């Protein structure tokens, strides 16, 4: 359909979220900005992300981006969270330029999550 | 329309009635001649235009000669507001309207401001109604024009046109009414209503897009200066070759609307009631408008805790309008709802359901179920839902 503001990837991720919600015993990060609120939750074992969840009051692109992050990062190394780049998701989901600032908020949240997990592991 | 879509956006536009479409097709091939031509073919086209003028005149209960064809309500609004203000500028340069009017009206008033006119923006009550005393208090000796819409396109609120028009007459102020959402849907009797200028468009009442009309009352002091210049058509007020097939389509749509007006209205009352019953249990649901007295074809609601653009996508394939910034041409949440005191979040989460002739009870039941499910899902996803 012409002028569809959402790519097929955004539609699929938005309509089929399976990572929405909370995790018991998880490290949690809350961020707000650009008219939206995000919460990321991660549970980790032996330096790996065992489970990820998110909550979002946000537009479809951000919800899709959160779901994409959770799907793509479960099982990966906690230490790699600092390398998460919003540009990858922006490209994969064909996020329009006026929405890219919102995906950068997600990037901030992911990196804060990595720092918080590191801090929790140290304690 | 693809069969999987559920269209509840009839305030935005309506489908052309089958009989109207057939007539227009016939006109396209049979009555293509310029109605200004004096030969046989031209007279044939002219007869179709005159028939349409009579059909629209009958719907509005006016002399057909008081009607000017335009390209739609936006042009009618501009011609009425700017044309009347220019015509009466020697008497004074004060004009009044409301911030909850359609952009075709508010932007015309902004243009007048640029030209040196003084505009008073009247504040409606929390439901969108303009009180007569508010209008009367704003009018001054140099006031020349007031423009108030009949049915609000976002909320369905119906203004008391008779009372407001009476106030204008008492102050010798021209009264323009944007009736794009009213004509063909609610009774509009221009013999009974103190209205000087009235705008309408065909595609809101099952006629074609690209054709509308402006009523100009035949009374002293009521006139407009043209915005277009060219041929001498339509008393030079709106020159240009008349689009016969569109005009004929508007005329037949008006005739059909006149016959179906009360049956359509009664059906919409039942549909809106059913839709409301299906969603009213949602916690924190807010009606934008007047559930009891407004136009029954429109139900506009907001909910907190739900982001508007996501709500709209979650509602697909339901086709409705939203106050969300990201999916409208505008980059701002609904200025109409903000003018009624709604915050940005509530304005952005607003959904306007608008029903029409083809809408069925099953349609509104399905829409209600889809709306409830979408709100529940998005609220559950929001951070505020955390225990």
């Amino acid at each position: 359909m012409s002028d569809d503001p959402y790519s097929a990837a955004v539609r699929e991720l938005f309509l089929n979220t399976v990572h929405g919600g909370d995790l018991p015993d998880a490290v949690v990060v809350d961020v707000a900005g650009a008219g939206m609120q995000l919460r990321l939750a991660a549970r980790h074992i032996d330096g790996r992300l065992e489970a990820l969840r998110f909550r979002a009051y946000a537009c479809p692109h951000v919800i899709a981006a959160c779901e994409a992050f959770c799907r793509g990062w479960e099982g990966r190394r906690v230490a790699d969270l600092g390398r998460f780049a919003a540009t990858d998701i922006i490209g994969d989901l064909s996020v329009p330029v006026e929405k890219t600032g919102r995906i950068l908020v997600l990037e901030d949240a992911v990196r804060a999550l990595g720092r918080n997990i590191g801090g929790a592991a140290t304690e | 329309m693809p069969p999987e879509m559920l269209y509840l956006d009839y305030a935005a536009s309506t489908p052309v009635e089958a009989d109207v479409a057939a007539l227009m097709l016939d006109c396209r091939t049979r009555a293509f001649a310029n109605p200004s031509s004096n030969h046989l073919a031209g007279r044939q086209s002219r007869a179709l235009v005159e028939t349409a003028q009579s059909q629209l005149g009958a719907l509005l209960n006016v002399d057909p000669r008081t009607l000017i064809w335009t390209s739609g309500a936006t042009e009618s609004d501009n011609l009425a507001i700017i044309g009347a203000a220019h015509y009466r500028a020697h008497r004074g340069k004060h004009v009044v309207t409301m911030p909850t009017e359609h952009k075709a009206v508010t932007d015309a008033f902004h243009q007048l401001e640029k030209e040196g006119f003084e505009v008073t923006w009247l504040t409606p009550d929390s439901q969108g109604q303009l009180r007569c005393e508010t209008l009367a208090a704003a009018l001054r000796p140099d006031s020349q024009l007031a423009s108030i819409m009949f049915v609000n396109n976002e909320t369905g609120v119906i203004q008391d046109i008779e009372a407001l028009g009476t106030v204008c007459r008492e102050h010798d102020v021209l009264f323009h009414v944007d009736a794009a959402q009213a004509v063909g849907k609610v009774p509009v009797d221009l013999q009974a209503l103190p209205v000087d200028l009235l705008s309408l468009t065909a595609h809101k009442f099952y006629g074609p897009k690209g054709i509308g009309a402006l009523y100009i009352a035949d009374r002293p002091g009521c006139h407009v200066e043209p915005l277009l210049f060219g041929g001498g058509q339509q008393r030079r007020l709106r020159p240009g070759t008349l689009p016969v097939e569109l005009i004929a389509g508007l005329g037949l749509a008006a005739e059909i609307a006149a016959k179906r007006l009360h049956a359509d209205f009664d059906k919409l009352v039942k549909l809106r009631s059913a839709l409301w019953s299906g969603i009213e249990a949602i916690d924190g649901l807010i009606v934008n408008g007047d559930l009891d007295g407004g136009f029954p074809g429109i139900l506009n609601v907001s909910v907190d805790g739900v982001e508007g653009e996501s709500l709209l996508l979650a509602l697909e394939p339901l086709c409705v309008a939203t106050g969300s910034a990201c999916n409208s041409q505008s980059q701002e949440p609904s200025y109409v709802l903000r003018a009624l005191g709604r915050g940005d979040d509530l304005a952005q989460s607003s959904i306007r359901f608008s029903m029409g002739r083809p809408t069925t009870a099953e349609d509104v039941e399905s829409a209600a179920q889809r709306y409830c499910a979408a709100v529940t899902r998005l609220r559950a996803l929001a951070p505020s839902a955390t225990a």
Side-chain angles (χ1 to χ4, degrees):
Chain A
M1 192 170 291
S2 65
D3 295 333
D4 189 341
Y6 309 112
S7 64
V10 169
R11 286 181 172 276
E12 190 279 320
L13 290 159
F14 175 82
L15 295 172
N16 301 295
T17 52
V18 293
H19 289 85
D22 302 313
L23 277 176
D25 304 322
V27 176
V28 174
V29 164
D30 285 295
V31 294
M36 62 186 207
Q37 301 164 30
L38 287 184
R39 171 171 295 175
L40 296 181
R43 203 164 53 206
H44 57 99
I45 299 174
D46 297 334
R48 294 202 173 266
L49 295 163
E50 183 242 341
L52 290 166
R53 293 288 184 274
F54 76 95
R55 288 187 173 277
Y57 171 90
C59 71
H61 289 97
V62 172
I63 290 175
C66 290
E67 176 67 18
F69 163 70
C70 292
R71 287 188 194 179
W73 279 76
E74 280 182 341
R76 293 180 64 172
R77 286 160 25 102
V78 173
D80 291 339
L81 279 174
R83 296 182 194 164
F84 173 82
T87 49
D88 293 341
I89 280 189
I90 289 169
D92 291 345
L93 303 188
S94 301
V95 177
V97 64
E98 66 271 18
K99 298 279 191 75
T100 54
R102 301 180 186 194
I103 309 302
L104 290 172
V105 175
L106 171 62
E107 183 180 274
D108 290 344
V110 170
R111 293 186 175 180
L113 189 66
R115 289 193 298 273
N116 287 2
I117 291 174
T122 305
E123 287 169 6
Chain B
M1 184 181 302
E4 70 273 15
M5 286 191 192
L6 174 50
Y7 186 84
L8 288 184
D9 199 15
Y10 291 92
S13 197
T14 60
V16 175
E17 276 281 348
D19 288 350
V20 172
L23 172 65
M24 290 172 60
L25 190 61
D26 188 43
C27 286
R28 178 168 288 185
T29 53
R30 189 173 56 81
F32 60 87
N34 191 323
S36 296
S37 299
N38 281 323
H39 46 59
L40 273 174
R43 292 206 298 275
Q44 183 187 34
S45 291
R46 194 151 64 243
L48 286 163
V49 171
E50 288 168 356
T51 297
Q53 218 152 6
S54 297
Q55 289 166 317
L56 181 58
L59 177 64
L60 302 175
N61 193 23
V62 290
D63 183 338
R65 291 171 297 183
T66 57
L67 299 168
I68 299 289
W69 302 115
T70 67
S71 61
T74 295
E75 185 189 338
S76 296
D77 287 339
N78 275 265
L79 179 57
I81 294 162
I82 297 175
H86 287 178
Y87 178 72
R88 289 169 65 107
H90 65 286
R91 301 188 188 196
K93 288 194 161 187
H94 179 239
V95 290
V96 300
T97 189
M98 289 199 297
T100 50
E101 296 286 309
H102 191 277
K103 283 282 186 187
V105 168
T106 58
D107 282 358
F109 275 87
H110 286 309
Q111 176 60 30
L112 288 176
E113 282 183 314
K114 291 177 187 168
E115 297 177 10
F117 286 81
E118 183 184 349
V119 179
T120 295
W121 300 91
L122 303 170
T123 305
D125 66 21
S126 60
Q127 286 196 323
Q129 289 281 358
L130 178 63
R131 298 176 190 276
C132 285
E133 49 270 34
T134 304
L135 174 61
L139 298 179
R140 316 183 312 212
D142 63 336
S143 301
Q144 299 305 321
L145 175 71
S147 181
I148 304 297
M149 72 202 313
F150 207 126
V151 174
N152 186 277
N153 55 303
E154 289 199 30
T155 63
V157 164
I158 300 176
Q159 300 292 344
D160 188 345
I161 295 299
E162 184 172 8
L164 296 167
T166 301
V167 171
C168 289
R169 287 278 163 92
E170 289 168 355
H171 290 77
D172 189 25
V173 168
L174 285 188
F175 187 40
H176 168 249
V177 173
D178 176 357
Q181 295 289 346
V183 169
K185 298 175 179 177
V186 300
V188 179
D189 182 348
L190 291 174
Q191 292 296 323
L193 294 172
V195 171
D196 298 306
L197 302 154
L198 182 131
S199 303
L200 64 95
T201 188
H203 78 98
K204 303 291 191 185
F205 58 94
Y206 309 94
K209 293 170 184 64
I211 186 70
L214 174 64
Y215 159 74
I216 304 175
D218 182 16
R219 72 185 197 91
C222 181
H223 193 62
V224 298
E225 288 190 359
L227 303 182
L228 300 175
F229 302 92
Q233 296 95 338
Q234 305 201 85
R235 294 177 278 144
R236 297 187 183 279
L237 291 176
R238 204 285 191 177
T241 301
L242 293 175
V244 177
E245 68 187 67
L246 296 177
I247 291 171
L250 184 154
L252 182 55
E255 183 177 293
I256 294 169
K259 290 175 182 167
R260 299 187 51 135
L261 196 67
H262 295 291
D264 282 354
F265 191 91
D266 292 345
K267 175 186 169 182
L268 291 173
V269 169
K270 291 174 183 162
L271 288 174
R272 183 177 64 173
S273 176
L275 179 57
W276 176 244
S277 295
I279 65 174
E280 67 176 330
I282 293 175
D283 186 39
L285 193 67
I286 295 170
V287 176
N288 300 309
D290 182 359
L291 195 56
D292 299 320
F295 171 59
I298 292 175
L299 177 60
N300 189 319
V301 292
S302 293
V303 285
D304 56 11
V306 175
E307 201 274 341
E309 187 188 347
S310 286
L311 178 58
L312 197 66
L313 182 57
L315 287 172
E316 282 190 359
L318 180 57
C319 300
V320 290
T322 177
S324 165
C326 300
N327 268 281
S328 62
Q329 294 296 316
S330 158
Q331 291 302 304
E332 297 292 328
S334 164
Y335 68 95
V336 172
L337 300 186
R338 288 197 303 175
L340 298 181
R342 303 285 185 257
D344 280 358
D345 286 353
L346 282 178
Q348 207 202 28
S349 74
S350 70
I351 293 291
R352 180 192 67 187
F353 300 91
S354 55
M355 296 146 285
R357 255 177 225 161
T359 308
T360 65
E362 290 74 25
D363 289 341
V364 297
E365 183 181 353
S366 174
Q369 289 171 352
R370 189 165 285 276
Y371 182 75
C372 291
V375 169
T376 301
R377 175 180 171 236
L378 291 174
R379 277 184 168 169
L381 204 57
S384 56
T386 311

